[in-house]
Amino acid sequence: MIEVKADALETTFAGVELGGAVARPLLSGARAQNGAFGGFLRSGANVEMKSFTGVSGDSGGYAIPREIDAVIGATLASVSPIRSIANVVQVGSAGYRKLVTAGGTPSGWASEVDARPDTGTPTYFEIAPPMGDLYANPSASQAMLDDALFDVEGWLATEIAREFARAEGAAFVSGSGVGRPKGFLAAPVSSANDGARAFGTLQYLASGAAGDFAASPQDRLIDLVQALRGPYRQNGTWVMNSATLARIRKFKTSDGAFIWTPGLSAGQPATLLGYPVIEAEDMPDIGANALAIAFGDFRSGYLIAERGETGILRDPYSNKPFVNFYASKRIGGCVSNSEAIKLMKFAAN
């Protein structure tokens, strides 16, 4: 009897040597390791024995493999409207800083023999997008995870992407900047033209009537387009919600032509006055003093900074018989060029 137990114990520790490497799945190639990450999601086995400091803390985090992280990124780009048109940068630290100049570098003219005095020093401004941890906490029953036909990796990526897209879509539009990105509608606004406003202040044009469009609303929309400087206008995009868009689609010119032009083929966006339209449901409805319409080059005007890694924790204990998956990602955002975005304010002036 003792001999049998010794053999079983020896078999249990077969292949384990003191100082030997711990067998673990490679996170960048989990699918090649017989679905090792999927095994972790289903049962918590085959874990990556590292803590990812800065991503999920020393409580034990697991970086999502590139296959899943790519799915999340692709879904966010297609669902989160501002992300699809803004400038998105990947950062490797907790914060992000960018220097911009206002007005460019001063210059001067001189003849062939004239002296060249010093020109003025350009004015520099530092942009630091407010950042916060965007998280999702979906759960699944252990019975679902035990079902071999259940695509746990695809389900997790879809759930995280849907929740991240909803939360960040609202933050990029109207986020307060406290523990989250600062939306472009949260920036200070003024009716002053470019060059006369303080740095970081967006210009608005009045609709001409309190809480509504004035007569000849298409003229006001044309004024908003032309208020944007030429280099930004060529990359201009309209941003509004579906209720506002429904109003605008009915506008006609004096000869009866619609100012709205539907896309002529699949995948081609509809245009308003020749510029594409992005529907963002987090934009406010038309109302008194509402900034319900934005037009601009968001690639130049709005900056999104994010950590490239998405952290995930598997928690099978807190909510039995469900298994929670806590995923988090650090994202920031703010206006980077206040001359590249214009707003329409629904007010008389």
Side-chain angles (χ1 to χ4, degrees), residues 82-313:
I82 304 304
R83 172 181 287 270
S84 66
I85 58 176
N87 179 25
V88 182
V89 297
Q90 302 291 328
V91 298
S93 60
Y96 178 80
R97 299 290 188 274
K98 180 181 180 180
L99 289 178
V100 298
T101 60
T105 302
S107 59
W109 289 94
S111 66
E112 181 179 356
V113 295
D114 285 346
R116 268 68 171 176
D118 292 340
T119 58
T121 301
T123 303
Y124 287 92
F125 296 93
E126 184 183 61
I127 296 176
M131 301 191 73
D133 289 328
L134 177 60
Y135 70 92
N137 196 23
S139 62
S141 67
Q142 187 62 53
M144 292 173 63
L145 300 178
D146 292 338
D147 188 349
L149 298 179
F150 175 54
D151 182 9
V152 61
E153 298 181 29
W155 166 82
L156 181 62
T158 302
E159 287 296 306
I160 293 175
R162 183 183 295 113
E163 178 60 25
F164 279 13
R166 182 199 63 78
E168 73 172 28
F172 296 153
V173 173
S174 57
S176 64
V178 179
R180 68 194 63 196
K182 186 173 183 178
F184 61 89
L185 292 187
V189 297
S190 169
S191 60
N193 294 324
D194 293 348
R197 303 188 312 279
F199 179 81
T201 302
L202 299 181
Q203 181 185 5
Y204 74 84
L205 274 69
S207 65
D212 204 347
F213 284 104
S216 301
Q218 63 272 12
D219 294 344
R220 296 285 180 167
L221 296 175
I222 292 174
D223 291 340
L224 187 62
V225 170
Q226 295 304 128
L228 199 66
R229 292 185 180 181
Y232 305 126
R233 195 186 313 130
Q234 61 184 357
N235 296 318
T237 302
W238 296 96
V239 177
M240 63 190 75
N241 66 22
S242 58
T244 303
L245 185 57
R247 291 279 307 276
I248 292 178
R249 291 187 63 173
K250 302 170 186 176
F251 294 160
K252 299 180 181 180
T253 61
S254 57
D255 57 359
F258 287 99
I259 64 174
W260 165 274
T261 304
L264 299 179
S265 60
Q268 182 179 356
T271 59
L272 175 61
L273 298 175
Y275 297 93
V277 181
I278 294 294
E279 291 187 43
E281 293 307 317
D282 296 291
M283 290 289 289
D285 292 331
I286 295 175
N289 297 317
L291 300 170
I293 299 176
F295 177 77
D297 179 2
F298 283 81
R299 195 76 61 187
S300 299
Y302 194 80
L303 173 69
I304 298 174
E306 64 177 6
R307 289 289 297 269
E309 304 90 353
T310 301
I312 182 169
L313 290 171

